[in-house]
Amino acid sequence: MKFKYVEAKNFLSFGNKWTKIPLHTGLNLVVGYDKQKQRSNGAGKTSFVEMISFGLFGVVAKGLKKAQIINWKNKKGCEVKVTFEKNDSTYLFHRGIKPDFLKVFKDGAEYPINSSVKEFQKELEEQILGLDFKVFNSLIYSNPNNSISLLDTPKAQKRVFIEKQFNLTEFSALNKLNNEIIKKVELEKHDIEKDFSKNLELIQNLTGEKQDIEKENIVFSNDLNTLTEHNKKIELQLQSYEEYTDTTVTTKQKIIDENKNIFKDKQKDFDERNEKKQTLKSELITIISTIAALKKQKEEIGNIVEHLEKLTLLKEKLNGFIPNLKETIDDNKEKMKIVEKKIDDIKITIKNAEDQKSELVQLENQKEYKINTLDKQKREIGDITEHLEKLITLKENLISFGDIDTKIDTEKTDLKALQNLLVKTQTSEFENNIIFAQNQIKAFNIDDLKGKSKCPTCHSKVDYDTIKKEIDSEIRTLNTTIDTETEKQKEVDENIEQINNNIEKKEIIIADFNKDLQKKQECEKDIIKLEVYTEKQKELGKIDVSLTALKEDKKNENLLIVIKDKIKELNDSLQMPEGILYNKGTELSMLEDNLIEKQECEKDIIKLEVYTEKQKELNKINSEINKLSDYTEKQDILFVLSEKNDILSKEIEGLSTTIESLDTEMIIINQKLQEKGTVKTDLETSVLKTKHKQTDINKNTERIVSKNEKLMVLSDENNTMDTENKEKQIELDHFMYIKEMLKDENIKQFAISNMIPIIEKQVNYYLGESGFGFYLKLDNWLDAEIKGPGITNCSFASMSGGERKSIDLALKFAIMDISTIRIANFPDLLILDELLDSSVDSFGIESLINIIRVKQQKENLKVFVISHRSEISELKPTHTYKVTKDNNYSSVEVTKG
């Protein structure tokens, strides 16, 4: 796929006028200049190459939204055209925003759009472009400032990159599909096994049920025989209960009822007398209890004379206390508050002075710290006079080397010319002519013709003398040629010796120049190292000025002395009010103790006042006890009632015995009647059971036949399911084998292990062609080990910034090589945005340029290097694309070289 042109208007910083830019084969440099800001950044260099990705895919590498792609000033009419050739056809992609559209032309004819723009874009990527934006952005477009090195990424991300880059994700998709099929087959197999187990369980249950029914029928038959025998026994038992009738029960019940009525009358009389007896007993108990309670109250009140005497003494003590004691205490407290406020005001003034003092001390400490810090910085810098003198000497030495690079290039050119001359001289034909002539002389052998008249080979007539004369003449001519050519060869040998001498001299001169160049480079490095001391000299001057200013500043120090004197004066003035406060506090404490003692006395009087009331209560209790002491009459009445109740109790006991005897007889008669009814019921129940047992036996026989039929159906179903299960197992084994093959350690590992050696070979090819003295050894995780003459235990992380960038670029190109093989008609574009502007020294830039040049020449690419570094002139570009921004609009000018 060969790109020809890109055209745009109202795209990013490009204005409403169409800008058409030819895309030239070779190593092209893209530079920029913003006239207003007078700098290279922001001119629109990246915008120029972003036209290509927008025209092809509708997006840009910056990840901007559509509204941000349109020129900010014109705000509409954004259009981009990209023209390229593929398979002898010319394609034009024409895309726009506001209005939004996409048109594609092949050899002038517009492609029909039969679907949505999104689906049409996908169709274009698959059928025409052969790659999507992600592949384009990762292989064609590169900006190291927006990505990290592939060799620095974690293993898992490297694996994802490799799988995605080389279409190994298809194996993951296939594995996912296979897992879904396995899940489906396992589910189907599980359902069959579940149904099989269910049927098997049904068979087992039916068989068990059938056996239970058969066992039950045997039990039922035995029960039927037992019931028949039992019926005969019950019929005989029923005959023994004929003497017990309902008339016997009625007669006995009448006698029991008469005795019970007599018992009730006697019991009623007994209960009435007993109730009177209990009432009298309760009244006596109440009287006795009340007297005991009153005596107990009297004991509880006890002797109150002592308490009444103590009450009199306390009242006399209360009269002896100072009157208005609480008001005196409150007055003292108010006076103390005034003194305390005065003390607090002095303390606040002292605290403010102390705070001011702390701030000044802190400022003085900060000042002291600054002075110490500056002294330390000054000591760390030290005496730099010797370094500055050495820097002047080195700069003078550097001037003395002159333009040594040009001299070396001139000598190398002369050396190359001498080497080419040597090759041409060594390939002269003189030596070959001598050898040819010597071989011709050796071939003139006529000894076989001596003394013969005919040639032994062709049998023609020969004259030996004539032939010998001719051969001798020819030999002389050849010897002359040999002599001539030998002389010429001697001249050539002398020239070769002279050329070799000149080559040796040139090589010695170049070696000397290289030594001078090395000394110059070392001198430049030393100058760079020592340049820092010019800055340090300026720094020392600033430090001295700061130190002088700090040491001369005495303002805070003087103020601190004044504040310290003020604090001492305030502390002295605090002593008198504190003494007054102490005396008042002591007096207040004594008054408060008197108040507490008075309050305790009042509380004790209140407690003892109760004993005057208890005296009245005690008199009342003694009166009540006297009233309740006469209760003998009630005791006599209680005795008479007890005697009469004893007589009635004996009569009631006799009637109770008679009734119990009659009840026992009645119970026996009722039991016999109940037993008779039970036996009769048992006979009826047993006859009914006999009939039911026969019915159950008949039903069970029918159930056994039904169970046998179901067992036959279930057995046939299980045979079918067993066959299906075996078929599913074979299918499952097949997919499990595929799953095993699709594991990372199998097919993917195999694919990756075959690709890594190719990547490694291509990486080392680019590094070798660019003059690096090391090579990479890559494992299947793209972890790199650096190897080479004299290199041991070296990793990617231990390389310099320039070497790391070179390795990254070589790795990117190696992956591009594989993608070029994989993707037919791979684009002939390579865009390197600010690759050379990152932290890389001049040697690193030269190495990167060498790798880029090898890639460009190998693939005949259109390489666009975007940069704003001054050293980029070493690139020696095929064309230079200068992007200029003037009045916020960008334009592109293309020049050769």
Side-chain angles (χ1 to χ4, degrees), residues 219-250:
V219 173
F220 285 170
S221 297
N222 293 333
D223 290 345
L224 188 61
N225 294 331
T226 303
L227 284 168
T228 305
E229 292 295 325
H230 180 65
N231 290 347
K232 291 177 182 178
K233 289 179 182 179
I234 292 173
E235 287 173 355
L236 291 171
Q237 187 180 1
L238 190 61
Q239 293 173 4
S240 66
Y241 290 102
E242 290 297 328
E243 60 180 289
Y244 298 102
T245 62
D246 292 337
T247 304
T248 309
V249 173
T250 305

Side-chain angles (χ1 to χ4, degrees), residues 62 87 142 296 298 358 435 483 668 681 733 745 776:
K62 292 179 180 179
N87 297 334
S142 177
K296 188 177 180 182
K298 189 176 177 182
S358 298
I435 293 167
D483 292 339
I668 291 168
T681 304
D733 291 342
E745 61 267 24
L776 259 66

